[in-house]
Amino acid sequence: MDFLNTAFTFPTVIYSTLLLIVLLFWLISLAGFADPDMLDGDADIEAEGGADGGSLWQMGFGGVPLTVSISLIVALSWVVSYYAQKLFAYLLGDGVMFYLIGSAFMLGSLVVALPLAAALVRPLRGVFDSQQTSSKDALVGLECVIATGKVTTTFGQARVSHEGSEQLIEVRCDEENTFTQGDKALLIEHNATTHSYTIVTNPW
């Protein structure tokens, strides 16, 4: 009860909620209904455009899926916040000061967690680089089913079955209005820059 009381009271409850969302995402991903790389395309576009957010990810968290980096940050922030609240709860005070100091605890936990997460990411880069290259190329040539209402040069998702699991992937098509939800298509090329696949009408 003491653990639950700390985990589900402010400020740690914020990170507890985020941690539950992260765990739910990975359960959905393991079931094949979400792609761990689903956020990487937008991050790469921001980085190419020179956005500060993209530069930050490239400097500290590049080389692994963005979902992995976010998961590590949330998990470590939760750990730091939990123990900070556990050890220094007497500093929180009452009333307005409770929320002001609690917010400072929450932000401080994030500041501490960021470099720790970046340090954990570094040894994982080589593993993810090799695994992502082989797994992404393995999907080329497979049939997929369109999951969105349309597919354009910048938008579209599809489901593809591979090695007994179903994955949701980003797909692109040079000709708009060619595919609608439920149509079948053929994956012919993987674009590592946008983390998407080029699709064409299945010839058979």
Side-chain angles (χ1 to χ4, degrees):
M1 291 303 297
D2 184 54
F3 167 79
L4 293 176
N5 183 58
T6 303
F8 290 98
T9 55
F10 186 82
T12 305
V13 65
I14 304 298
Y15 290 118
S16 295
T17 302
L18 293 175
L19 188 60
L20 289 174
I21 293 173
V22 166
L23 292 174
L24 179 62
F25 167 78
W26 285 109
L27 287 175
I28 294 173
S29 181
L30 287 173
F33 294 104
D35 185 357
D37 297 332
M38 62 189 299
L39 300 179
D40 289 0
D42 293 337
D44 288 340
I45 291 172
E46 288 182 2
E48 290 174 2
D52 292 339
S55 299
L56 174 64
W57 286 115
Q58 290 300 317
M59 287 188 297
F61 298 92
V64 301
L66 192 56
T67 50
V68 173
S69 298
I70 293 175
S71 299
L72 285 173
I73 292 172
V74 170
L76 289 172
S77 295
W78 181 88
V79 171
V80 174
S81 179
Y82 175 84
Y83 283 103
Q85 183 174 344
K86 188 80 171 173
L87 297 174
F88 303 106
Y90 64 91
L91 296 176
L92 291 174
D94 298 315
V96 175
M97 292 303 298
F98 174 82
Y99 291 100
L100 289 176
I101 298 176
S103 297
F105 273 33
M106 184 174 63
L107 293 175
S109 299
L110 178 61
V111 170
V112 173
L114 281 171
L116 293 176
L120 290 176
V121 160
R122 293 189 187 101
L124 297 176
R125 289 173 181 165
V127 176
F128 277 100
D129 283 343
S130 59
Q131 287 183 346
Q132 288 176 356
T133 299
S134 59
S135 63
K136 296 302 181 184
D137 290 342
L139 298 182
V140 174
L142 296 182
E143 183 181 73
C144 64
V145 178
I146 306 303
T148 50
K150 64 178 180 179
V151 179
T152 68
T153 56
T154 58
F155 172 81
Q157 291 184 324
R159 299 189 186 280
V160 59
S161 296
H162 179 59
E163 295 183 349
S165 66
E166 187 178 64
Q167 302 180 37
L168 183 66
I169 59 174
E170 294 290 324
V171 292
R172 303 291 182 262
C173 179
D174 294 334
E175 298 180 7
E176 296 188 13
N177 303 320
T178 303
F179 298 100
T180 59
Q181 187 174 13
D183 289 346
K184 294 183 178 180
L186 187 67
L187 304 172
I188 62 170
E189 183 182 11
H190 176 247
N191 188 323
T193 302
T194 60
H195 298 278
S196 63
Y197 293 85
T198 301
I199 60 172
V200 295
T201 303
N202 198 328
W204 55 81

